[in-house]
């Protein structure tokens, strides 16, 4: 393991995670890693989670970093700037500002980014070892951040060492560690000889066999048994309760007063202030200090080198001291701690821990502390917020119906934001039971929220049945409650691909919205209905007038009116995207996002950002789109909604493909595909499409076509919505031409033209023209050039600049192949300029390669090497032609051997070659 702490990596981080049962030696191994890191000149920071403070946000992380942050605050502020430091002030007092920065719960990924940047700044050139122990007790905010950190480690010389119990580690952290590039060190029980070495006895010692049998090779248990010389029968499994019992037996031998002081220390905290312990024990201060000294001499407590206080030698010792104390005394001690910490103006979350242990039902001061703790943690730790609300609800009498209803609704929202949708659904169910029948709008609002969660949890039928049951019970139909329910039924239809249902329910919602004179709901219903029609392949001839009316109604709404019906901005924006009205879509989605953030309606923010990123990409504003979609992906992943995450990941993959970041595009599409899973229809097919695009641009065009057709359900791509099929057919035509299958390309082009004739929308027609250009390019370059130029004009007319440039690139190549040098040069220069203005640097390079060889091809010469291959394929081809093996190429380019072989297979297919010798001859011949 020395290699983990030898020379830190030049960039990036090393992650090691240690797992094992209680007492097995996880902390000791972290100590060893920390000592070795110190010897190598690395800075070392240590922190640990605690069993009794598992709801304090970022407790383990802040415990590790706080002192270093205080020392380096000026340098951190200079490096990170005021905005990111203000976010860090939510965790570290050194950067706290008044008022604190506005941050939506769904935007806490911004805090995670700031914390990651902080670690990069704190890591010195010689490296940083960050060791975090007992993460099975970590608070939800720490778990959420670490799961993100191990997936995207800091670009710094960092050793991140984490320790936890395997059966208790939070699933989110375990999944992230499993997916990350990390080293796992699972600890096993000691052997008999290792146990003898630990205890300092000979292997022949008769007591050793008894201790070993009873302790099952667990170091902590062995030491306890050796000290007590116990003959206890071995439990079935060495676990936490078994160890607590063994430790309690050891504590029984302590003097009564010392044991009382130890219990008070357990109440005070993992690291505790001596003065606080003194306030919990009815004895003079000197007597308490003397008892603490005796406990330290007995190796039950130790002085904390990092603070002026003390700490428990092992978490299990603290747990045993706390759990075996008299329950009545414990309640009193926690109440005293609450009072003492109130006088010290400690944060509400610290006081809330003691309140939860001591408060009585109906005790208003206790409820106030818990609600303050919930409010304080709402942004940085929604799961922590939900915990304190659940404790408060236990204290609030059932008679206070309105108050309980408000807190249950708040708790459901917090749980949903934390990605714990099952628990959020249960909380909404409890809230629904409190709403009387004479409040139909409030009840329908909760039903709509519950149906949304059912749909996100993969139960669309249950959501539909819930909405229909509620709708049947509406006496004043069509009233405001019915409008809401009808609209949610329509949304469920369009998201579930049930477009006939969408049309039916949206039509009824529209009628009801008109009856209620609710213009925002009119817009929302019109937009959802329009999206459903287009997805099904239906285009109403009156659509332009209907869209114009929806735009007029939206633009006349005040921000306050729009805030009450933000779905109007969201669905109008998506409808305009489907209609190829990208600038209008961006305008309405931008306004919706501003209103959502200003009014704290963070549940729609990831949806709005995904739509806005799509609009920006469609207009060629790729840098802005990438930033917007990065936020959309991070926000969607925090919600725990696979449906929303898949959509955001797909759009980001699409953007990264045009930017030329093909590895990133592949990564995002692959992750979307995994989240969509089998049988998810549209979502899985869309993810497959984005992966196919990245695959094609990476050089495997034949594989792109096979995968896309298979995942989209066959040649007609039935699993994909009608509005996107023309684009996918165009991609298939292009891929087949590149792969040398001109006949198949013509078939895909015909399908693109067929759907473009049905939908009669400008982008669909442009895609059909581009598909036809690709299909004609091998045999009729003159005709292909004309079709490609027409496609470029159509793309330009709607502001689709990336596709405009792609069409110009093809037109230029076709003119060159036909021997028309002047138009080829002109079109390629225009394409290069458009690509450059979009930030599509990989395509700029492709144009540059085409401009270097503008002349006609020699008959029968086959494709030029530099024209036919991607940059990566060309690099691999040149190295192979120079005599390097696949393994040598992989090492040189930091790729896997399998990836090199895949690219090489694509090179052979494109150039019509079958051997390395032929490749060497082809690469080295003049063109």
């Amino acid at each position: 393991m020395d290699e983990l702490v030898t020379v830190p990596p030049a960039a990036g981080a090393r992650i090691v995670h240690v797992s094992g049962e209680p007492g097995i030696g996880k902390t000791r191994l972290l100590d060893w890693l920390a000592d070795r890191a110190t010897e190598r000149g690395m800075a070392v920071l240590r922190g640990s989670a605690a069993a009794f403070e598992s709801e304090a946000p970022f407790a383990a992380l802040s415990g590790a970093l706080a002192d270093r942050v205080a020392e380096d605050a000026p340098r951190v502020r200079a490096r990170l700037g005021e905005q990111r430091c203000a976010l860090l002030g939510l965790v570290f007092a050194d950067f706290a500002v008044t008022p604190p920065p506005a941050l939506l719960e769904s935007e806490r990924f911004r805090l995670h980014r700031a914390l990651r940047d902080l670690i990069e700044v704190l890591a010195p050139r010689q490296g940083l070892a960050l060791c975090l122990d007992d993460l099975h007790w970590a608070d939800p905010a720490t778990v959420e951040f670490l799961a993100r950190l191990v997936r995207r480690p800091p670009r710094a010389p960092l050793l991140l060492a984490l320790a936890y119990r395997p059966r208790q580690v939070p699933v989110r952290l375990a999944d992230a560690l499993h997916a990350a590039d990390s080293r796992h060190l699972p600890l096993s029980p000691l052997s008999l000889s290792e146990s003898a070495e630990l205890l300092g006895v000979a292997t022949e010692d008769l007591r050793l066999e008894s201790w070993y049998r009873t302790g099952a090779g667990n170091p902590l248990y062995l030491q306890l048994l050796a000290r007590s010389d116990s003959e206890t029968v071995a439990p079935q499994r060495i676990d936490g309760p078994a160890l607590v019992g063994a430790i309690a037996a050891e504590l029984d031998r302590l003097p009564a007063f010392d044991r009382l002081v130890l219990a008070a220390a357990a109440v005070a905290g993992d690291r505790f202030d001596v003065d606080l312990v003194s306030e919990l024990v009815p004895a003079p201060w000197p007597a308490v200090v003397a008892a603490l000294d005796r406990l330290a001499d007995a190796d039950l407590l130790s002085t904390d080198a990092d603070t002026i206080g003390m700490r428990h030698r092992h978490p299990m010792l603290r747990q045993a001291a706390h759990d075996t104390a008299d329950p009545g005394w414990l309640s009193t001690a926690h109440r005293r701690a609450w009072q003492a910490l109130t006088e010290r103006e400690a944060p509400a979350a610290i006081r809330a821990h003691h309140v939860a242990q001591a408060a009585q039902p109906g005790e208003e001061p206790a409820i106030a502390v818990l609600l303050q703790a919930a409010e304080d943690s709402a942004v940085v730790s929604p799961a922590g917020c939900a915990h304190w609300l659940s404790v408060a609800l236990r204290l609030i009498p059932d008679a206070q119906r309105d108050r309980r209803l408000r807190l249950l609704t708040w708790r459901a929202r917090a749980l949903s934001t934390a990605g714990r949708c099952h628990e959020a659904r249960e909380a909404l169910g409890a809230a629904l039971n409190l709403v009387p029948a004479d409040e139909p709008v409030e009840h329908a609002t909760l039903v709509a929220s519950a149906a949304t969660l059912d749909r996100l949890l993969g139960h669309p039928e249950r959501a539909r049945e819930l909405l229909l049951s509620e709708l049947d019970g509406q006496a004043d139909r069509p009233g405001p409650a019915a409008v809401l329910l009808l609209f949610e039924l329509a949304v469920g239809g369009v998201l579930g691909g049930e477009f006939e249902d969408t049309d039916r329910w949206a039509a009824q919602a529209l009628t009801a919205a008109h009856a209620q004179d609710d213009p925002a709901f009119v817009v929302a219903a019109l937009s959802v209905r329009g999206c459903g029609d287009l997805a099904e392949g239906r285009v109403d001839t009156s659509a332009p007038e209907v869209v114009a009316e929806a735009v007029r109604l939206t633009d006349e709404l005040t921000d306050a009116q729009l805030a009450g019906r933000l779905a109007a901005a969201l669905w109008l924006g998506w409808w305009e995207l489907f209609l190829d009205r990208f600038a209008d879509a961006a305008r309405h989605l931008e306004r919706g996002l501003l209103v959502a953030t200003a009014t704290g309606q963070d549940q729609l923010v990831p949806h709005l950002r995904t739509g806005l990123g799509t609009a920006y990409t469609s207009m060629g504003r790729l840098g802005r789109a990438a930033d917007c979609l990065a936020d959309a992906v991070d926000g969607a992943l925090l919600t725990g909604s696979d449906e929303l995450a898949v959509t955001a990941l797909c759009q980001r993959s699409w953007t990264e493909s045009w930017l030329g970041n093909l590895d990133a595009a592949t990564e995002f599409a692959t992750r979307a595909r995994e989240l969509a899973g089998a049988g998810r229809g549209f979502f899985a097919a869309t993810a497959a499409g984005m992966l196919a695009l990245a695959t094609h641009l990476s050089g495997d065009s034949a594989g792109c076509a096979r995968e896309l057709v298979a995942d989209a359900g066959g040649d007609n791509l039935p699993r994909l919505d009608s509005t996107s099929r023309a684009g996918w057919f165009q991609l298939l035509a292009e891929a087949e031409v590149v792969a040398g299958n001109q006949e198949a390309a013509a078939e895909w082009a015909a399908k693109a033209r067929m759907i473009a004739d049905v939908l009669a929308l400008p982008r669909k027609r442009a895609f059909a023209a581009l598909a036809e250009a690709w299909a004609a390019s091998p045999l009729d370059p003159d005709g292909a050039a004309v079709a490609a130029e027409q496609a470029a004009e159509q793309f330009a007319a709607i502001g689709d600049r990336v596709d405009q440039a792609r069409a110009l690139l093809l037109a230029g190549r076709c003119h060159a192949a036909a021997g028309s040098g002047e138009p080829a040069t002109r079109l390629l220069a225009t394409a290069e300029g458009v690509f450059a203005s979009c930030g599509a640097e990989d395509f700029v390079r492709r144009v540059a390669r085409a401009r270097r060889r503008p002349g006609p091809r020699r008959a029968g010469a086959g494709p030029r090497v530099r024209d036919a291959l991607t940059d990566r394929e060309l690099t691999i081809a040149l190295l192979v032609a120079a005599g390097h093996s696949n393994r040598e190429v992989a090492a040189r380019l930091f790729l896997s051997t399998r990836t090199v072989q895949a690219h090489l297979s694509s090179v052979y297919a494109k150039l019509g070659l079958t051997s390395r010798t032929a490749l060497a001859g082809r690469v080295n011949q003049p063109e």
Side-chain angles (χ1 to χ4, degrees):
M1 292 190 296
D2 276 325
E3 72 275 9
L4 293 172
V5 288
T6 49
V7 179
R14 292 176 180 170
I15 301 169
V16 57
H17 49 116
V18 182
S19 66
E21 300 302 326
I24 202 71
K26 300 183 296 295
T27 300
R28 184 166 294 187
L29 183 52
L30 285 190
D31 290 341
W32 184 91
L33 287 170
D35 290 343
R36 298 292 82 73
T38 301
E39 292 172 2
R40 303 303 194 276
M42 298 175 70
V44 176
L45 300 177
R46 299 287 303 268
S48 64
F52 299 105
E53 289 84 33
S54 60
E55 300 300 334
F58 296 108
L61 188 70
S62 60
L65 301 182
D67 289 345
R68 186 65 175 263
V69 166
E71 293 172 8
D72 285 359
R75 185 169 66 90
V76 171
R77 199 178 296 278
R79 288 278 301 276
L80 299 186
E82 293 300 324
Q83 187 173 10
R84 279 182 288 180
C85 284
L87 288 172
L88 292 174
L90 297 171
V91 180
F92 300 100
D94 302 87
F95 299 118
V97 295
T98 303
L103 188 69
L104 296 178
E105 293 170 29
S106 64
E107 291 189 312
R108 58 193 185 280
F109 61 82
R110 298 192 186 280
L111 173 58
H112 298 165
R113 291 177 187 171
L115 288 168
R116 179 178 178 272
D117 294 342
L118 172 66
I119 292 173
E120 288 185 358
V121 172
L122 293 180
R125 185 175 302 174
Q126 64 271 27
L128 169 68
L130 177 58
C131 304
L132 302 177
D133 201 358
D134 293 323
L135 290 178
H136 46 277
W137 287 322
D139 63 274
T142 296
V143 168
E144 193 172 69
F145 169 66
L146 289 177
R148 176 185 174 88
L149 189 70
V150 300
R151 288 185 183 274
R152 295 188 184 177
R155 295 182 296 272
L158 172 73
L159 169 63
L160 180 64
L162 313 175
Y164 56 85
R165 298 178 191 168
R167 283 196 292 268
Q168 294 172 253
V169 63
V171 173
R172 192 170 202 161
L173 180 57
D175 288 346
L177 287 169
H178 177 73
D181 182 11
S182 61
R183 182 169 176 181
H184 184 203
L185 300 176
L187 299 186
S188 303
L190 301 178
S191 66
L192 186 65
S193 60
E194 289 169 337
S195 300
E197 182 180 352
L198 172 70
L199 300 176
V201 299
T203 53
E204 297 81 9
D205 192 313
L206 296 178
R207 298 169 298 172
L208 178 61
E209 183 178 351
S210 174
W211 295 336
Y212 186 74
R213 183 179 66 252
T214 303
N218 184 289
L220 180 58
Y221 218 148
L222 288 168
Q223 290 171 323
L224 291 170
L225 292 167
R227 282 202 294 268
S228 63
D229 197 18
S230 170
E231 295 293 337
T232 306
V233 177
Q236 292 296 314
R237 185 180 75 203
I238 300 298
D239 56 12
L243 282 175
V244 169
I247 294 170
E250 182 182 19
L251 299 183
D252 281 339
R253 296 195 297 274
L254 291 173
F257 183 72
D258 289 8
R259 183 162 185 181
L260 179 64
V261 172
L262 184 63
V267 169
D270 184 49
R271 293 175 174 83
F272 57 86
D273 180 357
V274 172
D275 288 340
L276 179 58
V277 174
S278 179
E279 293 186 53
L280 307 183
V281 179
W285 189 85
V288 174
V289 172
L292 290 171
D293 288 340
R294 290 192 296 272
L295 292 167
D297 291 340
D299 198 26
L300 298 173
L301 300 175
S302 63
T303 301
D304 194 334
D306 299 327
T307 69
I308 60 172
M310 300 183 74
R311 64 175 302 169
H312 300 269
R313 177 171 61 83
H314 193 281
M316 302 303 298
L317 282 168
R318 181 191 177 195
Q319 186 175 349
H322 185 278
D323 292 355
T324 58
D326 177 73
W329 177 88
L330 270 180
S331 179
T332 300
H334 278 292
R335 182 171 290 275
R336 287 176 177 169
W338 164 22
Q339 294 168 347
L341 290 168
T342 300
E343 293 173 1
R344 300 179 189 192
E345 299 182 347
I350 302 299
R351 289 178 281 141
H353 162 66
H354 299 286
V355 168
Q357 304 291 325
Q360 299 298 314
E363 193 172 357
E364 283 299 328
I367 295 171
V369 172
L370 294 167
L371 295 183
Q372 185 63 55
E375 185 175 338
D376 291 347
S377 58
V379 171
V380 297
S381 179
C385 169
H387 169 77
W388 296 127
L389 290 172
S390 68
V391 178
L393 282 163
R394 291 201 296 266
L395 301 181
I396 296 175
D398 292 342
Q400 297 183 20
R401 183 193 71 89
D402 290 346
R403 192 182 192 188
R404 290 185 63 81
L405 177 59
R406 180 174 61 84
L407 296 189
L408 281 167
T409 306
W410 181 8
R411 183 168 182 267
R413 178 184 171 187
L415 288 167
S416 178
T417 305
R420 291 160 60 173
C421 293
H422 285 285
E423 295 172 77
R425 181 62 178 84
E426 291 176 3
L428 280 178
L432 280 167
N433 292 332
L434 296 180
V435 181
D438 60 353
E439 296 181 9
V441 176
E442 185 171 7
H443 200 272
T445 301
L446 290 177
V447 165
S449 298
T452 298
L453 286 173
D454 282 339
R455 193 179 67 247
L456 292 177
L457 288 168
H459 305 298
E461 286 303 318
R462 190 168 72 187
R464 187 173 184 273
E465 290 171 6
L466 179 65
L467 291 166
L468 287 174
S469 175
E470 182 74 8
L471 188 63
D472 288 342
Q474 294 294 321
D476 62 342
R477 183 175 177 183
V483 177
L484 178 61
L485 297 168
L486 289 165
F487 177 71
E488 288 300 322
L489 282 164
V491 169
V494 75
L495 292 177
E498 302 292 337
F499 302 120
E500 290 186 7
D501 274 1
T502 300
D503 186 65
R504 175 160 56 103
W505 298 122
Q508 293 185 43
L510 182 60
T511 300
H514 277 301
Q516 295 297 315
D517 193 22
D518 189 333
F521 243 146
V522 168
V523 172
L526 282 172
S527 301
V528 169
R529 188 179 189 182
C531 289
D533 285 344
L534 289 171
E536 182 70 356
R538 296 190 299 265
V539 177
D540 189 339
T541 56
S542 64
E545 292 80 10
V546 177
V547 176
E549 176 65 8
V551 169
R552 182 188 66 78
L553 290 172
T554 303
D555 292 345
E556 288 177 355
L557 294 173
T558 66
D559 284 353
Q561 290 172 320
L562 184 61
R565 293 283 186 266
L566 265 179
L570 174 66
W571 285 101
L572 176 58
W574 276 105
W575 190 19
E576 289 170 322
L577 285 175
F578 289 163
L579 290 167
D580 306 332
R581 300 170 57 147
F582 308 125
D584 290 339
R587 180 168 65 86
H588 291 119
L589 291 166
E590 284 170 345
R591 185 185 178 199
L593 185 59
L594 287 172
V595 173
T597 53
T599 56
Q601 298 186 62
D602 58 347
Q603 69 276 11
L604 287 183
V605 167
H607 298 268
L608 289 161
R609 282 206 173 99
T610 300
L612 189 55
T614 303
Y616 289 153
T617 301
S618 300
M619 293 188 291
R621 298 163 68 178
L622 299 182
R624 192 165 183 181
D627 291 341
C628 185
L629 289 167
D631 288 351
V633 168
D634 286 340
L637 290 172
L638 287 176
T639 67
S641 165
D642 289 349
E643 178 182 291
L644 181 54
V646 167
T647 304
L649 285 164
C650 283
Q651 300 310 105
R652 187 165 186 197
S653 174
W654 180 46
T655 304
E656 296 296 339
S657 286
W658 294 149
L659 283 167
N661 302 325
L662 300 181
D663 288 342
T666 300
E667 175 191 344
F668 291 127
T670 301
R671 193 169 181 192
R673 198 178 186 185
E674 291 170 351
L675 284 175
R680 290 295 298 273
F682 164 76
F683 294 101
T686 303
M690 297 305 175
L691 184 58
L693 173 62
T695 300
H696 165 59
L697 294 177
S698 297
D700 184 8
S701 298
C704 150
R706 286 193 303 272
E707 292 293 325
L708 177 53
V709 172
D711 286 334
D715 288 351
N716 291 323
L717 312 184
R719 293 176 187 158
L720 290 163
D721 63 284
S722 294
T723 59
S724 69
R725 282 183 201 146
W728 295 122
F729 287 139
Q730 183 276 310
L731 173 63
L732 286 166
E734 178 179 333
E736 293 289 16
V737 168
V738 174
N741 303 319
Q742 194 272 333
E743 185 176 344
E747 293 175 0
W748 294 124
K751 290 180 181 292
R753 174 56 62 189
M754 186 181 301
I755 198 165
D757 289 344
V758 171
L759 290 179
L761 291 169
R763 197 185 204 189
K764 288 41 170 177
R765 289 171 171 162
F767 275 131
L770 184 56
E772 290 166 345
W774 271 103
S777 61
L779 300 178
D780 181 15
D782 283 319
V786 172
E789 287 188 72
Q790 291 174 346
E793 291 174 1
Q794 292 170 319
F795 284 127
I798 58 174
D800 183 347
R801 298 169 67 234
V802 171
D803 287 316
Q804 173 199 359
R806 291 176 59 230
L808 289 170
L809 172 56
L810 177 61
R813 284 173 166 169
C814 289
H815 275 302
S820 304
E822 187 280 326
T825 301
R826 172 176 48 81
L827 292 170
L828 291 174
T830 304
E832 186 173 30
V834 176
F835 278 134
S837 68
C838 295
E841 294 301 323
D842 182 57
F843 281 93
V844 171
R845 291 189 289 272
R846 293 175 189 232
V847 176
R849 289 199 299 272
R851 293 181 70 184
R852 286 196 295 269
R853 301 284 185 178
R857 301 292 296 129
R858 298 189 308 276
R864 291 190 182 93
V865 171
R866 284 168 173 76
D867 289 348
L869 305 183
T870 67
D871 286 346
R872 176 164 290 173
E873 288 171 346
L874 180 59
T875 300
I876 291 173
L878 291 171
L879 289 171
V880 169
H884 294 286
S885 68
N886 287 5
R887 186 181 298 276
E888 290 169 340
V889 174
R892 189 162 180 170
L893 300 181
F894 303 101
L895 300 173
S896 69
T897 306
R898 181 180 298 178
T899 299
V900 171
Q901 182 58 52
H903 282 303
L904 195 55
S905 297
S906 178
V907 169
Y908 289 151
K910 289 181 178 181
L911 300 181
L913 305 174
T914 59
S915 69
R916 301 170 83 88
T917 302
L919 176 62
R922 181 63 184 280
V923 166
N924 293 323
Q925 76 179 27
E927 292 188 344

